[in-house]
Amino acid sequence: MSVSRRVLLTLPLAVALAGRTATAADAAPAQEIERFYAVLLAVMKAGKQLSFAGRYARLAPAITEAYNLPLMTRLAVGPGWRQLSADQQQRLTAAFTRYTVSEYASRFDGYSGERFEVTPTASANPNGLLVASRMIKPDGEAISFNYLMRQDSGGVWKVIDVYVSGSISELATRRAEFTAVLHRAGADGLVQELDRRIAALRTG
């Protein structure tokens, strides 16, 4: 199982999001992450018996429930989002969703005694609440995954960014990657690039 990340420049994200102001003691965001981890761990344990497609099928509902993928797509694209047509926005959101699930299905493909720990209460963050968690390997090495969460329009806490090793923003990394592709090839080119990455993940 590979949990390594490419360390790229972390860019500031100007996030203007609506939502209820919650206290740091609010446990609901952490509970959402615990539910997600329960599914992820089950898939990891069955990973060697499941194909990529099998892991994808089991992870997709949990990821789409835990993550606000439409909002994450918009934030990853950045200011140029408003210049895209509705069809381009929909196709980018669908491709970003497939890519996110594919990354999980590829990376978490086996189990060797790992466990997850989630801090039961979230901490305040200027853009929402931050849920701290760790994946503990059998040798004791711990990898931090901290989740920035906000409420969606239905009041459900959803992930809008993940900080790997405590500080590496996946959304900022995506924006850096996507901006370059958008400038070079436009929205259609970005969809094609995401589909290429998905195909590469699927074939290992």
Side-chain angles (χ1 to χ4, degrees), residues 59-192:
L59 286 168
I63 291 171
T64 55
E65 181 178 348
Y67 283 66
N68 191 333
L69 292 165
L71 176 57
M72 292 177 70
T73 307
R74 177 169 67 84
L75 295 174
V77 169
W81 180 259
R82 293 182 179 179
Q83 279 69 57
L84 302 179
S85 68
D87 178 68
Q88 288 174 321
Q89 291 175 353
Q90 291 172 1
R91 288 192 294 113
L92 273 174
T93 299
F96 183 80
T97 297
R98 295 193 303 271
Y99 180 51
T100 301
V101 178
S102 295
E103 283 202 306
Y104 272 97
S106 175
R107 291 172 178 167
F108 296 91
D109 61 350
Y111 177 75
S112 56
E114 295 86 355
R115 60 188 174 86
F116 292 98
E117 293 182 350
V118 180
T119 301
T121 54
S123 59
N125 179 280
N127 293 319
L129 293 181
L130 198 66
V131 176
S133 74
R134 303 188 304 166
M135 184 180 76
I136 313 296
K137 295 183 177 181
D139 62 4
E141 179 187 358
I143 301 174
S144 297
F145 295 97
N146 297 333
Y147 296 87
L148 180 61
M149 304 185 70
R150 290 292 302 228
Q151 287 177 302
D152 65 9
S153 59
V156 178
W157 288 99
K158 299 236 180 197
V159 176
I160 64 168
D161 198 2
V162 183
Y163 296 91
V164 183
S165 300
S167 61
I168 303 169
S169 165
E170 288 202 338
L171 196 58
T173 298
R174 295 287 174 259
R175 178 176 286 189
E177 296 171 346
F178 290 3
T179 297
V181 178
L182 285 166
H183 285 168
R184 183 178 70 250
D188 293 342
L190 180 54
V191 171
Q192 292 172 4

